[in-house]
Amino acid sequence: MAKTALITGILGQDGPYLSKLLLAKGYKVYGMIRRYSNPNFETLDYLEITDKIEFIEGDMGDESSLMNVVRTVRPDEVYNLAAQSFVGDSWQMAKLTTEVNALGVLYLLNSLKIFSPTTKFYQASTSEMFGLGNTHGYQDEKTSFHPRSPYGIAKVYAHWMTVNFRESYGLFTASGILFNHESPVRGKQFVTRKITDGAARIKYGLAKKINLGNLDAKRDWGFAGDYAEAMYLMLQQDKADDYVIGTGQNHSVKEFVELAFKYAEIPDWKKYIVIDPRFKRPAEVYELKAKPEKALKILGWRPKVTFAELVKMMVKADMKRVKTLLV
Ligand code: NAP
Ligand code: GDD
């Protein structure tokens, strides 16, 4: 019989890439969405899989809705991708971010414990939990957490709750500590897509500039499709565990801008970038760089898309999309 997977946050960036992978492996995929009355299927449409998903309504802020979803589906695997995932908004929306990203995970774990204790559970944890924490210039599973945003703090709670359900009740709960990963369906509030969309608009005369914050911040950027594979692999192990997933290399926002403008064939990128204090954060995470040795060794996972290929892929997709707006 086909395996079943429930994906929360299926309408975001990662949900479609993970769905595509699971569908290709023969899974029946259930996608939890907040409201069926007005869903935005743009990211699933981009990967041409919308009609292959069975949707079910639920909200991370509502425990009874999660109980209902778990009791109805009783999937083999749950991938919890739902979150208020934009760090920049999390200071203004600290309570909502905590309710969805921290308490929501507790509700979901409780639902599994009561209605489907043999389900394997994946929690979308993040390198943002490390914040200022680093071990000789990189972060791995042993690095201590020093989160810098309400988002990071809520995710630390969810991470430890995931570990605790494993240790307390023997549930198969894995926490994937993923570094930044991007794609052509990345939300436009995140810096990479803001840059590639902005560069494409400048190229075709629809915009004159891009307003950005801290150009010196460094991130370990990978491709979302590669990271979906790591999520899947974590739930195929005999034993649940936690894994750092990243490329092991980092680049500054400035480097990302330079490369994006190069691929968009716009000379002199400095003419188009405006430093805008509104996009600077009250507490910045200056630098993140993964050491994904454990994942490489135990999961046999490898990132396939390089930084340059990622920037090129995103610029190309945005140029194509923006061009269609001209007619
Ligand atoms: P995303 O594009 O922001 O998608 C998040 C999804 O969560 C959206 O579809 C959103 O639904 C849904 N959601 C938000 N609040 C909800 C609620 N109260 N109930 C149910 N669903 C809700 O995020 P992503 O980039 O795909 O990332 C997936 C997960 O990985 C997130 O948990 C994120 O924090 C984590 N993560 C991401 C990265 C990265 O670099 N992308 C790195 C590490 C960890 P709507 O469509 O209805 O708004
Ligand atoms: N969004 C944004 N907009 N970021 C900017 C801007 C801007 O105009 N200018 C500079 N930055 C800097 C931010 O200050 C940050 O240092 C870096 O660019 C990356 O910002 P984001 O793309 O918003 O991503 P993030 O690193 O804060 O968070 C993403 O990655 C996390 C994993 O480390 C999100 O996907 C999180 O959900 C995820 O957990």
Side-chain angles (χ1 to χ4, degrees), residues 152-194:
I153 294 164
K155 286 283 188 174
V156 169
Y157 173 94
H159 166 79
W160 284 119
M161 208 41 100
T162 300
V163 172
N164 191 253
F165 267 65
R166 184 197 309 153
E167 293 176 352
S168 304
Y169 309 115
L171 264 63
F172 189 110
T173 57
S175 177
I177 307 178
L178 272 50
F179 284 59
N180 298 48
H181 44 279
E182 321 292 314
S183 73
V185 296
R186 182 61 143 153
K188 286 185 199 159
Q189 67 273 44
F190 301 98
V191 77
T192 54
R193 185 77 198 287
K194 186 174 170 180

Side-chain angles (χ1 to χ4, degrees), residues 182 191-193 195-196 221 251-261 307 310-311 314-315:
E182 321 292 314
V191 77
T192 54
R193 185 77 198 287
I195 294 165
T196 59
W221 278 298
H251 298 272
S252 65
V253 172
K254 191 170 134 199
E255 284 172 79
F256 195 103
V257 173
E258 281 170 347
L259 210 48
F261 275 70
F307 176 68
L310 175 67
V311 180
M314 292 176 70
V315 170

